[in-house]
Amino acid sequence: MPLPSSESEERELTPPRELAQITALIQPQLVAVEESILQQVQAFDPAVQGYVAYACGSSGKRLRPALALLAAGATGGIDARHVSLATIIELIHLATLIHDDIMDGADTRRGQPTANARWGNSITVLLGDSLFAHALDLSTRFEETDISRAIARAAREVCTGELLQTQRRFDLQLSQAEYFRIIEMKTAALFGVAAELGARLNGASDAAVRALRDYGLKLGTAYQIYDDCLDLAGDEAHAGKTLGTDLQKGKLTLPMLFLLQTASENGARERINQALLNGDAASLLTLRQAARKAGALAAAATAGRTLIEEACLPLNTLGMTRYRRALKEIGVRLGAMVGQFA
Amino acid sequence: MPLPSSESEERELTPPRELAQITALIQPQLVAVEESILQQVQAFDPAVQGYVAYACGSSGKRLRPALALLAAGATGGIDARHVSLATIIELIHLATLIHDDIMDGADTRRGQPTANARWGNSITVLLGDSLFAHALDLSTRFEETDISRAIARAAREVCTGELLQTQRRFDLQLSQAEYFRIIEMKTAALFGVAAELGARLNGASDAAVRALRDYGLKLGTAYQIYDDCLDLAGDEAHAGKTLGTDLQKGKLTLPMLFLLQTASENGARERINQALLNGDAASLLTLRQAARKAGALAAAATAGRTLIEEACLPLNTLGMTRYRRALKEIGVRLGAMVGQFA
């Protein structure tokens, strides 16, 4: 009698439930992406496959792959090249998460110990590097060099955005414009390139490519704002990751920038600054309550929702398809997620 | 009156003296590579250019660029594409050095504070990532995707080799075969791809491409053995970097593997194992003396010299040019460097 497949294997091959309804129409291709991600493990030296499998197997939301596939569907159809594209972009995302967790000193992600918690920082730096290099190797298999170039550039944007963010930690002078520039680089760039290249691989019109790129960039920006709100005011057990790390690490997120803006009175501003610089559990609670009370959390959530509306508008220039509707529904769903903080 | 250029600027634009005689015939192109490396700084966000300039400006030996250029010269000529190739490969090398220094906790490299000593590990992880992504972005500008693919694969080899090495730290069971496999990945892969692609960009024959690839791989392996000997028995002030870190970090290098092999008597082996596991200054001195006395350092140096001879043999299949002679002379020079430990 053959052994049943293990529970973890089954879970890994199932697209996450959160998006399951919206992305039902790309279910076979999302499964193909999941399989393709797991297949990449085989490309590595046997001695390091265990690390790579762990990094790839922590089934995330696969939002970026979904965007690439839906953008492809909305501009002519989905083929094997889009599955490759989705795989590459998710691998780059996974590589950046691995390095993020080192810098944040995070112990858990998606309910599992992080790579750095399991194997220490040295192995984890190199694991991220290896995944990153492998993703860029895969990207050179497209016939068009402009596809691999766009992927490498988006990867560079992500790294530079993270670098800028790290540089500006505990910098109470950070402006909203600077904040938006940083999150557009560190988060939105990969959403943007996923949607853009999904269309470009189909030879879509410049207008369609631009519409999808703009959609990806704005959706990605809103997604980061949602993540910021979650880190400040979310529930750790439900989120499946360590929360409150932004404040501990001195990352000034949008709710905090709104809070600082509302605190015009000197004493209030001084108290917020002090709590931001402290970054301990008591300060986190103080800031969470202050952000709620001052409407700063709600203002950030509203900014996120406005961005989502703007993201979906250019989609009207695309032909009316189930895929276009699904892209809009992702916006609706993300709008509801960020809306819980409004 | 115009200000004189600063000393550091002058130094950065001058190819290192160590190779100056051998590489005199590619002097203009090496200067072009140096300028090209410094120009890359402009491609980054203004706020991070300072970090990138620091990482790129610590003028190293530029051995890999020299190999790419000489391989090009030996197979038809050197043009702008080879300068790009040399730049890309050196940027990948610099990115890996930056991440190495984090893992080694090294304070100085080439006589200057390391990036991690200046800005901490978080910035430095991201600085390495950004340089790496930029190098792979540059590589997609070649018309032939197989060039960027070979570069991405070599980069992946380097990362995987480093990962394997880190995984096997303090592992007294490491075999010589495993050691050679690791250093071929972490060091030789980039030497090999530099020489190989220098020729491939010229449309050289398969035989010439293979000869140069083999030369690069074996020279790179020998270079790592030299570096291993230097770390164990070199002079810190002269080397311009922190030495003795291999033993402290549990890296079993070739002299140590020879030492373990010669220590057949149980008590002697046990004492070596203990010193390796201790890794303190006294143990380092003990191991250094033991490696000299047992002829283990000399055996490693001899292995390095043999590899260099093997590296130079296939060059005879190339046409007789000044470039071929220079490639052989690099072998002679490296042979003398590693020979000081014999």
Side-chain angles (χ1 to χ4, degrees), chain A residues 43-48 51-52 95 99-100 102-104 119 121-127 129-134 136-146 148-150 152-153 155-156 158-160 162-164 166-167 169 181 185, chain B residues 43-48 51-52 95 99-100 102-104 119 121-127 129-134 136-146 148-150 152-153 155-156 158-160 162-164 166-167 169 181 185:
Chain A
F44 289 83
D45 186 276
V48 307
Y51 306 116
V52 179
H99 282 182
D100 271 6
I102 298 173
M103 292 179 286
D104 290 343
W119 300 298
N121 288 351
S122 292
I123 290 275
T124 309
V125 166
L126 294 165
L127 174 59
D129 289 350
S130 301
L131 269 182
F132 199 50
H134 181 63
L136 293 167
D137 173 11
L138 288 178
S139 81
T140 62
R141 296 183 200 175
F142 289 110
E143 275 165 43
E144 311 87 338
T145 50
D146 58 342
S148 52
R149 190 172 312 146
R153 284 199 184 160
R156 205 192 70 184
V158 172
C159 300
T160 307
E162 296 258 11
L163 188 45
L164 288 173
T166 305
Q167 187 188 42
R169 282 183 305 190
R181 188 148 175 277
M185 295 176 94
Chain B
F44 289 83
D45 187 276
V48 306
Y51 306 116
V52 178
H99 281 181
D100 271 6
I102 297 174
M103 293 179 286
D104 290 343
W119 300 297
N121 289 351
S122 292
I123 290 276
T124 309
V125 167
L126 294 165
L127 174 59
D129 289 350
S130 302
L131 269 182
F132 199 51
H134 181 63
L136 293 168
D137 173 11
L138 288 178
S139 81
T140 62
R141 296 182 201 175
F142 289 111
E143 275 166 44
E144 311 87 338
T145 51
D146 58 341
S148 52
R149 190 171 313 146
R153 283 199 184 160
R156 206 193 69 184
V158 173
C159 300
T160 306
E162 296 258 11
L163 188 44
L164 288 173
T166 306
Q167 187 188 42
R169 282 182 306 190
R181 189 150 174 278
M185 295 176 94

Side-chain angles (χ1 to χ4, degrees), chain A residues 198-322:
Chain A
R200 260 167 73 181
L201 281 172
N202 279 339
S205 70
D206 285 353
V209 167
R210 208 166 35 243
L212 282 160
R213 184 169 180 275
D214 284 356
Y215 165 83
L217 285 174
K218 285 189 169 138
L219 193 87
T221 306
Y223 185 76
Q224 185 56 56
I225 292 172
Y226 160 69
D227 204 56
D228 287 357
C229 293
L230 188 70
D231 191 79
L232 180 69
D235 173 52
E236 200 157 300
H238 185 254
K241 62 178 181 178
T242 312
L243 296 178
T245 59
D246 287 344
L247 284 171
Q248 277 166 34
K249 297 288 156 184
K251 283 185 210 164
L252 289 181
T253 60
L254 194 57
M256 280 305 114
L257 294 177
F258 275 121
L259 180 60
L260 282 165
Q261 192 179 295
T262 59
S264 53
E265 182 242 316
N266 267 344
R269 200 180 162 91
E270 187 50 44
R271 279 192 299 278
I272 294 166
N273 285 355
Q274 204 49 58
L276 283 168
L277 296 177
N278 280 346
D280 58 2
S283 299
L284 177 60
L285 192 65
T286 305
L287 288 168
R288 189 176 178 162
Q289 288 167 340
R292 275 199 195 282
K293 200 174 156 198
L297 189 65
T302 302
R305 285 206 292 203
T306 305
L307 268 167
I308 293 165
E309 281 164 27
E310 289 173 15
C312 291
L313 265 185
L315 296 180
N316 293 330
T317 62
L318 304 175
M320 168 71 123
T321 61
R322 297 174 296 161

Side-chain angles (χ1 to χ4, degrees), chain A residues 71-185:
Chain A
T75 54
I78 310 170
D79 61 36
R81 294 169 311 148
H82 299 108
V83 171
S84 292
L85 170 68
T87 302
I88 292 163
I89 288 178
E90 189 68 5
L91 287 179
I92 292 172
H93 172 56
L94 290 171
T96 64
L97 287 187
I98 288 168
H99 282 182
D100 271 6
D101 285 337
I102 298 173
M103 292 179 286
D104 290 343
D107 294 328
T108 60
R109 175 176 297 270
R110 294 169 186 159
Q112 305 238 337
T114 56
N116 46 305
R118 286 193 68 159
W119 300 298
N121 288 351
S122 292
I123 290 275
T124 309
V125 166
L126 294 165
L127 174 59
D129 289 350
S130 301
L131 269 182
F132 199 50
H134 181 63
L136 293 167
D137 173 11
L138 288 178
S139 81
T140 62
R141 296 183 200 175
F142 289 110
E143 275 165 43
E144 311 87 338
T145 50
D146 58 342
I147 299 292
S148 52
R149 190 172 312 146
I151 291 170
R153 284 199 184 160
R156 205 192 70 184
E157 289 277 287
V158 172
C159 300
T160 307
E162 296 258 11
L163 188 45
L164 288 173
Q165 178 180 264
T166 305
Q167 187 188 42
R168 305 300 296 275
R169 282 183 305 190
F170 295 106
D171 182 347
L172 300 166
Q173 304 307 315
L174 187 80
S175 71
Q176 280 201 21
E178 291 169 320
Y179 163 84
F180 275 106
R181 188 148 175 277
I182 288 171
I183 70 168
E184 274 160 26
M185 295 176 94

